[in-house]
Amino acid sequence: MTLPLLLAMALLPAADLTTRTIEYTQGDAVLEGVLTFDPAGPAKRPGIVVVPNWMGVGPRARESAEKLARLGYVALVADIYGKGVRPASGKEAGVLAGKYKGDRPLLRARVNSALDLLKRQPNVDTTRLGAIGYCFGGTTALELARSGAPVLGVVSFHGGLGSPTPADARQIKGKVLALHGADDPY
């Protein structure tokens, strides 16, 4: 995009977005994500799974989904932990995130259930899907790609790059953008 186009977009009035909490399941677990889109947009548009950081579904993830919806996506904030499971501290978040990072098949099942829900939305073009996440969410977006999910791309910001099954990288169908600070001690 050119700078004049970006400036023009910044001056446009904010779209009235539709945002709703939406329940879905993975196995016996009830999950609660947040779906956001611009109802004035085209009948079909690209879909993107927004995977929250280790604090789970909350204001930051919702804000990211809103920004993506304003750019023309149908954005679904994925719930990895389960309905009503929202850590109150970094210590609680570390325990929860550790559970899923230690059980990659479960982590993949949770994020794939979010992708499946997104694909069922009537305004989503199922040929144009992706995922994005920060930190724990970035790790999860990478695991979605490694699971062989039909996504055109994933973006991981500060996500864990390691995998207990590195050969699964052969299953990646789309592009991967991993943004990781060179001076980051983690």
Side-chain angles (χ1 to χ4, degrees):
M1 255 186 230
T2 65
L3 183 57
L5 180 58
L6 286 172
L7 290 172
M9 287 176 60
L11 296 174
L12 292 174
D16 290 327
L17 300 177
T18 295
T19 299
R20 68 176 188 261
T21 301
I22 187 166
E23 281 191 11
Y24 59 109
T25 60
Q26 181 276 309
D28 293 335
V30 177
L31 308 169
E32 191 174 64
V34 179
L35 187 72
T36 304
F37 60 91
D38 180 352
K44 296 282 186 179
R45 63 199 80 176
I48 189 158
V49 175
V50 178
V51 188
N53 64 24
W54 71 345
M55 294 304 288
V57 177
R60 287 200 171 179
R62 288 173 183 261
E63 182 180 306
S64 293
E66 289 172 4
K67 288 177 182 176
L68 290 162
R70 291 186 198 292
L71 291 172
Y73 292 88
V74 176
L76 174 67
V77 177
D79 181 9
I80 302 301
Y81 299 151
K83 182 178 179 179
V85 180
R86 306 292 181 254
S89 67
K91 184 175 181 179
E92 285 181 29
V95 170
L96 282 168
K99 171 185 172 182
Y100 293 93
K101 285 179 74 176
D103 187 346
R104 298 296 172 101
L106 177 59
L107 180 61
R108 288 179 182 187
R110 292 286 169 97
V111 72
N112 270 288
S113 66
L115 180 64
D116 290 342
L117 173 65
L118 183 63
K119 291 188 316 191
R120 290 192 305 267
Q121 301 310 303
N123 57 346
V124 171
D125 177 349
T126 59
T127 67
R128 297 188 301 159
L129 300 169
I132 188 170
Y134 176 78
C135 202
F136 172 71
T139 300
T140 306
L142 292 172
E143 286 301 317
L144 178 66
R146 290 180 186 126
S147 77
V151 292
L152 294 179
V154 300
V155 180
S156 170
F157 294 93
H158 184 71
L161 304 177
S163 172
T165 53
D168 287 353
R170 292 185 197 116
Q171 299 179 119
I172 296 172
K173 293 179 171 57
K175 296 183 185 235
V176 173
L177 176 60
L179 301 167
H180 211 75
D183 294 334
D184 189 328
Y186 298 101

